Amino acid sequence: LMPGNMPGQVMTQAEFDQITETSCCVLKDMGPRIEWVESYVTDDKIYCIYRAPDADTIREHAEKGGFPTNSISEVKQMLKPTL
């Protein structure tokens, strides 16, 4: 499951570091039921990939961390290039 994006504005590295620290603290408190895999930053959004049992767990993480999350999509399949 992944929150589709975290709307935002251009942020400094210090702001990204603070978001990362906040997220990790919330994840630690929530225990092993949710795992942050990685995030992708564009000009105005942050796309976050999580392993979680359901969308409610991701919403709980977002709420506890103060992260605005406007959509959550379940990943049904992963594709990898073959060469």
Side-chain angles (χ1 to χ4, degrees):
L1 293 173
M2 90 177 194
N5 59 61
M6 186 174 115
Q9 64 281 351
V10 176
M11 295 193 304
T12 66
Q13 186 59 50
E15 290 170 316
F16 284 127
D17 292 345
Q18 181 60 49
I19 288 171
T20 298
E21 183 178 336
T22 299
S23 179
C24 288
C25 288
V26 171
L27 291 168
K28 183 178 177 185
D29 288 344
M30 291 180 70
R33 61 192 170 113
I34 181 172
E35 177 187 354
W36 177 21
V37 177
E38 59 194 351
S39 295
Y40 301 93
V41 178
T42 66
D43 286 337
D44 63 348
K45 294 183 174 95
I46 301 173
Y47 296 87
C48 302
I49 309 297
Y50 292 93
R51 285 190 184 96
D54 52 43
D56 286 340
T57 303
I58 295 172
R59 282 188 197 94
E60 179 183 348
H61 172 263
E63 184 178 306
K64 287 181 175 181
F67 309 126
T69 301
N70 63 2
S71 68
I72 297 175
S73 300
E74 182 176 0
V75 174
K76 300 287 188 178
Q77 182 175 353
M78 290 180 62
L79 304 175
K80 295 183 179 185
T82 57
L83 301 176

